[in-house]
Amino acid sequence: MAGITDPRPPLPEWILECYDRLCTQACQPDIGEDSVPLIDYDDAVNILSSDAELALEQRDVEHALTRLLERGYFYEVEDELRVTSPEEQC
């Protein structure tokens, strides 16, 4: 989530497309009102790897997930990717 004051260039469009795909597949846990959408890391890899429209190789999928984690689009808890701000992003 590169903010206005973030000196880093924005993420490439193909990585943002990966994020959008994962947001549509993320599930909302039934636990508590403050729960956030999440997706298992391995499921995320499988979803992106098998998406014919994206046509990504394994290393591209891993790169996209790494960049999304580094930029704060997701945070990782016990092999689950959780959406940082679902009301703003997904």
Side-chain angles (χ1 to χ4, degrees):
M1 296 183 309
I4 295 172
T5 60
D6 192 340
R8 301 175 292 187
L11 290 175
E13 189 62 34
W14 70 272
I15 292 180
L16 295 176
E17 287 178 31
C18 291
Y19 176 72
D20 290 340
R21 297 286 201 299
L22 295 175
C23 279
T24 62
Q25 299 295 318
C27 65
Q28 184 75 33
D30 296 332
I31 307 167
E33 294 178 17
D34 295 332
S35 61
V36 296
L38 57 88
I39 188 165
D40 184 77
Y41 186 89
D42 291 335
D43 290 342
V45 169
N46 291 336
I47 288 166
L48 295 178
S49 296
S50 64
D51 190 308
E53 192 174 321
L54 290 173
L56 299 175
E57 295 180 15
Q58 181 71 25
R59 67 175 189 245
D60 295 329
V61 168
E62 292 169 2
H63 176 73
L65 291 173
T66 298
R67 295 292 304 276
L68 290 168
L69 283 163
E70 289 173 348
R71 290 290 183 97
Y73 283 81
F74 291 109
Y75 62 98
E76 190 170 12
V77 177
E78 297 179 4
D79 294 327
E80 291 177 339
L81 301 177
R82 298 179 185 207
V83 178
T84 304
S85 299
E87 65 279 351
E88 297 173 11
Q89 298 171 8
C90 289

